[in-house]
Amino acid sequence: MSSKLQLTTLAVLVSAALPAQAALYKVVEVAPGVSGNEVYGTAIQPGATTDSKGCFVDDCAEGASYKLAGETRNRPDGFSYREEVPFAMDNSFAYIEDDYDGFEDYCFYQLGYATCEYWASDRWSSWYNETYSSNTPNSLAFIEGTAVLPTDAKNTVINSLNSSGSAIGNYSTATVRNTPINGDITGWKQGRQWATNGTYSVGSVSSRTGTGGERYYYFSKPAVWNGTTLNAVKWAYNDQQDGDYYAQGSMRDLYVDGTTFYGVGYNNYKDQHMNATIFKGTTTDLTNLNSVQINNAQVDISGDNIHSNSVATNINKNLVVVGQAKRSGGYPKNGAASNRLFIVPDASASSINASFFYGGIFFDGAGGEMGGINNYNEIVGRIDSENHREYDGKQRRQRAFIYPYGVTPKVTVPAEVTAINDRKAIFKNKAWLLDDLTNGGSESSNNNQYRIYDASDINDAGVISATAVKCSGGYDSTSHNAYCGDGNGTEKVVAVKLVPIAGSDASAIEPRSYDSTATERKGAGLGFGALAILGLFGFMRKRIK
């Protein structure tokens, strides 16, 4: 046999021994069905498959069984349509009352960017439209191409989907800034909903409409709906107002074990501090749930306001809690007043302490945004991918990640321990930027059209809702920082599902490389959001949530 034939035969045998499809995820773009310059994925329908490894074993194809919710934008939010108060921390309403100057002051004092004039102008123009001008709709919501447009809605957001694929969120009208898509707020002027388990829903209620003469100086309380019955939850520290500061509270997620209720979010504490909180109690007395502050993430640490605010964003059936704490502009860490991500492994523990993500892709002082956690303790969100100084400098680039955290104290059933460990092994037992998991194999050409900026949610099947920048036809190479059309191509912001590829495992991971030549993206054909996104990770901007 010739050496050439031997080598050819060997190549065939090696090829046959490798997985048929490399990459762990297929990127599936979802059309919005509503107008908008940019499209963001915000939630995925809950669900699992018959196998504990989810879509990594059961073929989920394009993920059609799990609906994606999203929103469009034509301009940035003035301040978030989701938050109870401006910038998630301005409970004196001082920044927002000062119009453009307040936006610039917030950026200068709390973010520290050298580009605050641009940052403020971008958002002030949107706030001006909502406050003083036409108030044309900016955030149009959809589920799998079908519009979610409540009557008279100006801006609609979807925070999560229930098990049947219906929206949980809120919308604005000309007279009320936030009303739940579903949920009574009798006796209150505003309401927001974040999550539901089918029986109970959680969010917040506020005392004023947030429009017209009631635009400023309102308080809010965490809220639980038992079916249609609203329960406003007590504050941890019962000062409705302290000087210029107004008490605030919000519940973002829940888990109910029999009659024991667990909620997570933030609540009002002494000096009107808004601190990440675990709410505990019984379903028979929802207005009097106990508030347990999450230590290490609170505003005041040893007499200094180290953080400007903190919030617990998600809880799963294993009682694992995740969240984020915004470093105060007066106490930057490693050159940034970053939004740091944390975990609490057991919400039922006698001592509740936050541990900030660290190691691997999570460098000390890295900032980001929490997306979600499923019942296999797989966490998604976005994180800084650069570590230069933001304070007196430029914003760091960010990218979507997945973090298979592994077994936690409440996971004691052997089959569940095995399932979580098996899922973790698929990721080589560590966190990854999701772009590294969409590279290679038969999906590589399609996937190379996308770079994943944000992962907003993950279900038990392993399907992820995300936001990406798309270069139609594919980037010039598969590297992280590849050009689109030699730097002259048109990129756009799109909503995508990341669907695990059946049969893929750790051997399929082909991390993307980095081009050695520095790239300067020209942003041809881009609107406000994509240009800002390009300034963050070569493509992306900080998330709207």
Side-chain angles (χ1 to χ4, degrees):
M1 182 182 292
S2 71
S3 60
K4 181 176 180 180
L5 180 59
Q6 290 178 34
L7 289 173
T8 303
T9 304
L10 178 61
V12 171
L13 292 173
V14 170
S15 176
L18 293 174
Q21 293 179 317
L24 290 187
Y25 293 96
K26 176 190 299 185
V27 182
V28 180
E29 185 176 345
V30 178
V34 293
S35 62
N37 293 337
E38 297 163 354
V39 187
Y40 298 83
T42 63
I44 199 74
Q45 182 179 356
T49 66
T50 57
D51 191 279
S52 62
K53 289 187 178 180
C55 299
F56 288 108
V57 169
D58 292 337
D59 189 354
C60 296
E62 305 288 303
S65 296
Y66 310 104
K67 297 178 181 178
L68 178 140
E71 301 157 15
T72 63
R73 292 291 190 276
N74 294 310
R75 54 186 182 275
D77 303 1
F79 75 85
S80 173
Y81 303 125
R82 292 174 158 81
E83 295 292 344
E84 282 75 17
V85 296
F87 315 122
M89 57 82 68
D90 184 18
N91 56 335
S92 71
F93 299 88
Y95 285 124
I96 203 71
E97 189 178 21
D98 287 342
D99 293 335
Y100 171 82
D101 290 340
F103 280 83
E104 189 172 22
D105 284 346
Y106 171 77
C107 180
F108 181 80
Y109 290 110
Q110 292 297 332
L111 302 177
Y113 304 149
T115 55
C116 281
E117 185 174 328
Y118 170 80
W119 187 97
S121 177
D122 215 19
R123 286 152 183 80
W124 159 245
S125 62
S126 190
W127 177 242
Y128 182 90
N129 172 76
E130 185 180 345
T131 310
Y132 306 113
S133 188
S134 61
N135 195 17
T136 53
N138 183 34
S139 180
L140 302 181
F142 65 91
I143 301 173
E144 289 287 324
T146 301
V148 177
L149 296 173
T151 304
D152 299 327
K154 290 292 182 181
N155 294 298
T156 305
V157 297
I158 298 176
N159 294 316
S160 62
L161 294 175
N162 64 18
S163 58
S164 63
S166 298
I168 309 299
N170 46 274
Y171 65 97
S172 299
T173 69
T175 57
V176 180
R177 192 167 197 267
N178 281 288
T179 297
I181 294 174
N182 297 291
D184 174 58
I185 56 170
T186 299
W188 297 84
K189 295 296 186 68
Q190 292 188 69
R192 296 164 175 82
Q193 283 191 345
W194 284 82
T196 187
N197 68 356
T199 300
Y200 301 96
S201 302
V202 297
S204 67
V205 286
S206 300
S207 61
R208 298 187 181 220
T209 65
T211 62
E214 295 185 318
R215 186 169 303 282
Y216 307 115
Y217 317 128
Y218 53 83
F219 61 82
S220 62
K221 279 192 168 185
V224 182
W225 286 262
N226 182 356
T228 59
T229 302
L230 170 64
N231 300 270
V233 179
K234 66 180 182 180
W235 290 307
Y237 194 82
N238 201 35
D239 272 354
Q240 179 175 303
Q241 182 179 351
D242 183 7
D244 294 332
Y245 295 87
Y246 292 79
Q248 309 294 333
S250 178
M251 206 175 298
R252 302 297 175 84
D253 201 4
L254 75 156
Y255 178 71
V256 179
D257 183 7
T259 60
T260 302
F261 184 96
Y262 292 91
V264 297
Y266 71 84
N267 211 350
N268 183 73
Y269 290 81
K270 191 174 181 180
D271 296 327
Q272 306 302 87
H273 290 157
M274 300 157 57
N275 289 334
T277 296
I278 297 173
F279 301 90
K280 298 181 182 180
T282 174
T283 55
T284 60
D285 191 9
L286 292 169
T287 61
N288 289 306
L289 297 173
N290 293 317
S291 293
V292 180
Q293 176 182 281
I294 298 178
N295 297 319
N296 299 332
Q298 74 268 33
V299 171
D300 187 324
I301 299 177
S302 301
D304 294 318
N305 288 351
I306 301 299
H307 298 109
S308 62
N309 64 291
S310 60
V311 60
T313 57
N314 303 92
I315 184 171
N316 67 7
K317 74 172 187 178
N318 306 319
L319 301 187
V320 180
V321 176
V322 293
Q324 56 204 33
K326 168 66 173 67
R327 194 86 180 182
S328 171
Y331 292 90
K333 184 176 178 64
N334 288 348
S338 55
N339 202 42
R340 299 190 298 162
L341 309 183
F342 67 77
I343 186 167
V344 176
D346 182 5
S348 68
S350 57
S351 179
I352 301 296
N353 298 289
S355 297
F356 290 98
F357 289 5
Y358 183 71
I361 63 173
F362 305 111
F363 61 85
D364 191 21
E369 192 84 11
M370 190 60 72
I373 183 172
N374 65 13
N375 290 316
Y376 292 93
N377 292 345
E378 294 165 346
I379 304 164
V380 296
R382 73 168 190 267
I383 196 70
D384 288 341
S385 61
E386 298 177 329
N387 62 1
H388 62 252
R389 286 184 60 85
E390 283 193 323
Y391 229 71
D392 299 323
K394 63 179 181 178
Q395 293 171 263
R396 293 169 177 166
R397 298 171 180 177
Q398 295 187 330
R399 302 190 192 186
F401 72 85
I402 184 166
Y403 182 10
Y405 191 78
V407 175
T408 48
K410 286 296 182 182
V411 183
T412 57
V413 177
E416 294 181 356
V417 171
T418 298
I420 289 176
N421 283 331
D422 286 349
R423 291 274 284 246
K424 187 177 181 181
I426 294 172
F427 302 96
K428 297 185 178 180
N429 302 308
K430 65 178 183 177
W432 291 88
L433 298 179
L434 280 164
D435 276 339
D436 283 324
L437 307 183
T438 63
N439 185 40
S442 63
E443 290 296 330
S444 189
S445 178
N446 172 70
N447 287 357
N448 192 45
Q449 297 182 101
Y450 305 92
R451 296 293 184 268
I452 313 302
Y453 163 61
D454 187 32
S456 57
D457 197 8
I458 183 171
N459 64 18
D460 288 346
V463 182
I464 298 169
S465 59
T467 300
V469 164
K470 180 182 182 182
C471 175
S472 293
Y475 286 90
D476 294 354
S477 74
T478 61
S479 67
H480 280 289
N481 54 340
Y483 280 114
C484 177
D486 198 29
N488 296 306
T490 299
E491 297 167 289
K492 62 180 181 178
V493 182
V494 297
V496 297
K497 293 179 189 178
L498 301 183
V499 184
I501 298 171
S504 293
D505 58 21
S507 65
I509 297 176
E510 297 184 24
R512 295 184 187 275
S513 62
Y514 287 87
D515 289 339
S516 57
T517 303
T519 61
E520 180 182 351
R521 299 181 179 281
K522 300 174 183 175
L526 297 178
F528 82 87
L531 285 171
I533 284 169
L534 293 179
L536 265 179
F537 94 64
F539 315 97
M540 287 299 197
R541 74 174 174 90
K542 290 195 173 180
R543 193 170 74 184
I544 51 178
K545 241 173 153 174

